[in-house]
Amino acid sequence: MNKKLLNQIVKKLFKNSFLGGKLDFLTIKGVVSVILSLPYPYSLKVLQEYKKQIAIYLRSKTLKVQSAIELSQKEIAEIEKTFKQRYCLEYTQNVIDESLIAGVIITAGDNVFDTSIKTQIRSLLKLA
């Protein structure tokens, strides 16, 4: 299977992974079943490329909030209110990273907003 044909197939499968304009996980399950019915090694190549496309899409549509401690639902909701509509995000991922010491790192699509103490200390050490 040449690269052009592979890209066409994956593009079509990816496009069919949406229901009502949103990525639909039940539809994805059906698409994966179709991919797995292809003969090997084509199924493997298509599945790998399809997985990459899904990951790229999810990363672009996810608000990632990293904090040193667990944030309350109210705090998460406030962050979502600030970022989700502005950056057209659909999903939220909350990650606890104790190495941040304090503050948060918010990733909205390709934009990163870093107010962590860890980054501030690194910046100060670079100046020294």
Side-chain angles (χ1 to χ4, degrees):
M1 178 181 302
N2 67 42
K3 189 74 171 170
K4 185 176 180 180
L5 179 59
L6 176 64
N7 288 338
Q8 289 174 341
I9 291 169
V10 170
K11 185 176 181 179
K12 191 168 210 151
L13 291 169
F14 179 73
K15 194 174 183 179
N16 288 325
S17 300
F18 292 81
L19 188 63
K22 291 198 173 208
L23 198 58
D24 182 67
F25 294 101
L26 287 176
T27 306
I28 290 172
K29 190 175 178 179
V31 169
V32 169
S33 293
V34 169
I35 293 171
L36 294 176
S37 71
L38 296 171
Y40 183 83
Y42 304 118
S43 59
L44 181 60
K45 289 180 181 180
V46 172
L47 187 59
Q48 288 171 334
E49 290 302 313
Y50 178 72
K51 181 181 170 187
K52 284 181 192 175
Q53 290 302 311
I54 295 292
I56 290 167
Y57 177 81
L58 287 175
R59 203 168 27 257
S60 74
K61 294 294 185 179
T62 299
L63 174 66
K64 183 177 180 182
V65 181
Q66 296 173 262
S67 58
I69 59 170
E70 187 172 345
L71 300 176
S72 70
Q73 287 298 99
K74 185 178 179 183
E75 290 167 319
I76 294 291
E78 198 63 36
I79 293 169
E80 286 177 335
K81 183 179 170 187
T82 303
F83 288 92
K84 270 194 160 180
Q85 187 174 11
R86 181 175 183 175
Y87 292 97
C88 301
L89 303 170
E90 299 174 20
Y91 312 100
T92 301
Q93 179 185 18
N94 189 13
V95 177
I96 297 172
D97 180 356
E98 294 175 356
S99 74
L100 298 180
I101 304 169
V104 295
I105 299 174
I106 297 170
T107 307
D110 293 331
N111 302 289
V112 178
F113 305 89
D114 189 341
T115 64
S116 69
I117 298 297
K118 178 181 179 177
T119 299
Q120 292 175 28
I121 290 171
R122 279 188 182 157
S123 294
L124 290 172
L125 290 174
K126 285 181 183 178
L127 294 174

